[in-house]
Amino acid sequence: MRLLLVEDEQRLSEALAYILRKNNYLIDIANDGITGQEMAESNIYDVIILDRMLPGKEGLKVLKDLRKQNITTPVLVLTAMDEIKDRVEGLDSGADDYLIKPFSTDELLARIRALGRRKSEQLQNGNIKASSFELDPLNCEVLVDGQTIKLTLKESQLLELLMRNKGKVITRDQILSRVWGFDSEVDMNNIEIYIYYLRRKLNFKDTGIRIETIRGIGYCFKEDNNV
Ligand code: CA
């Protein structure tokens, strides 16, 4: 999952980014409301963590403007205790959930998992399931028929992106920006190689699952329910 954290307290944002990366989330940080909104408008994030009090533009205004543009990414608003009386106002702006500062990292991780679940077939433990395959993004592993297949971090992130968008075509540009990031040196050929590795490692033969190549466009994760 790719997350956007919009938070102006640098020590907090760095600490959160460290913890989230350790949990294998891809995370981008913005330190003010205007930059945060610009990044969120790219619509590449699975969850946005948005502080309320931000320089440049207040969090709830950013949220309102995103919703106006039909950006439906789940948003978790970080709010101080004394702002909580404005809770209703926040929900009206389109927030999906709230977290009151200070919060525990376990609580934050649980809320992110819950918001991510709304978009895909995610299990309680954070794993993503398709047919007999279960991807464990935290440990970069696929569990299938009692076997554990180890993936690299990038393989796991790529498979997660495809599985979360089952049945939808993901373009190569989307894969580049969501798995490798905006400024990455990786080129299109690398994606092909990673897909090749995934297919070889996971051996989808006779499982009803496949990663389809959409020539010149991208890839699509498919699950055939009749198998
Ligand atoms: Ca703040």
Side-chain angles (χ1 to χ4, degrees):
M1 280 217 289
R2 189 166 199 106
L3 311 177
L4 173 63
L5 171 63
V6 191
E7 168 63 67
D8 57 314
E9 287 166 55
Q10 211 174 338
R11 273 175 59 190
L12 178 62
S13 66
E14 277 170 12
L16 290 180
Y18 174 78
I19 290 157
L20 291 166
R21 286 194 184 112
K22 251 180 91 179
N23 282 272
N24 287 344
Y25 289 108
L26 287 149
I27 176 139
D28 295 323
I29 299 175
N31 297 119
D32 66 83
I34 293 165
T35 312
Q37 181 171 333
E38 276 170 11
M39 290 171 83
E41 282 168 357
S42 68
N43 211 1
I44 64 165
Y45 297 101
D46 299 292
V47 173
I48 297 168
I49 306 162
L50 182 64
D51 189 30
R52 266 191 85 159
M53 302 300 259
L54 290 167
K57 189 168 181 178
E58 205 216 313
L60 294 185
K61 286 202 182 115
V62 170
L63 180 55
K64 242 182 216 161
D65 284 353
L66 289 176
R67 295 303 187 232
K68 249 188 240 161
Q69 297 173 68
N70 288 323
I71 291 170
T72 57
T73 314
V75 171
L76 173 64
V77 170
L78 304 180
T79 189
M81 186 60 112
D82 57 0
E83 295 162 2
I84 205 61
K85 58 180 186 307
D86 308 323
R87 197 189 146 98
V88 176
E89 186 202 326
L91 290 171
D92 285 346
S93 312
D96 296 271
D97 201 0
Y98 261 87
L99 207 49
I100 298 165
K101 288 177 171 180
F103 49 82
S104 75
T105 51
D106 283 346
E107 183 69 28
L108 176 71
L109 292 169
R111 301 291 182 94
I112 291 169
R113 277 198 300 274
L115 289 175
R117 257 199 302 279
R118 293 186 192 177
K119 282 185 82 178
S120 68
E121 294 179 48
Q122 193 177 320
L123 307 178
Q124 205 65 38
N125 60 6
N127 290 2
I128 304 161
K129 208 170 153 64
S131 180
S132 54
F133 286 82
E134 198 176 314
L135 171 66
D136 175 350
L138 183 58
N139 295 303
C140 300
E141 289 172 352
V142 171
L143 314 168
V144 54
D145 300 330
Q147 259 193 305
T148 303
I149 302 163
K150 200 77 195 144
L151 302 179
T152 65
L153 179 59
K154 285 295 164 207
E155 286 168 354
S156 175
Q157 288 167 341
L158 173 58
L159 182 62
E160 184 184 358
L161 174 63
L162 293 170
M163 285 180 85
R164 280 184 177 281
N165 292 282
K166 193 173 75 179
K168 273 196 270 177
V169 177
I170 301 297
T171 66
R172 290 180 300 190
D173 279 338
Q174 284 171 324
I175 292 173
L176 273 186
S177 62
R178 297 185 63 157
V179 178
W180 278 273
F182 295 109
D183 311 315
S184 126
E185 304 274 304
V186 170
D187 68 35
M188 297 291 180
N189 294 332
N190 288 63
I191 298 175
E192 229 170 282
I193 293 164
Y194 275 89
I195 295 280
Y196 168 77
Y197 286 148
L198 277 178
R199 283 180 179 142
R200 200 180 55 176
K201 274 190 181 176
L202 299 178
N203 186 21
F204 291 129
K205 201 171 172 289
D206 300 326
T207 61
I209 284 180
R210 62 192 183 281
I211 299 173
E212 226 173 76
T213 304
I214 315 297
R215 207 152 287 286
I217 300 174
Y219 299 91
C220 180
F221 187 91
K222 290 202 170 163
E223 180 180 3
D224 182 352
N225 294 321
N226 303 322
V227 173

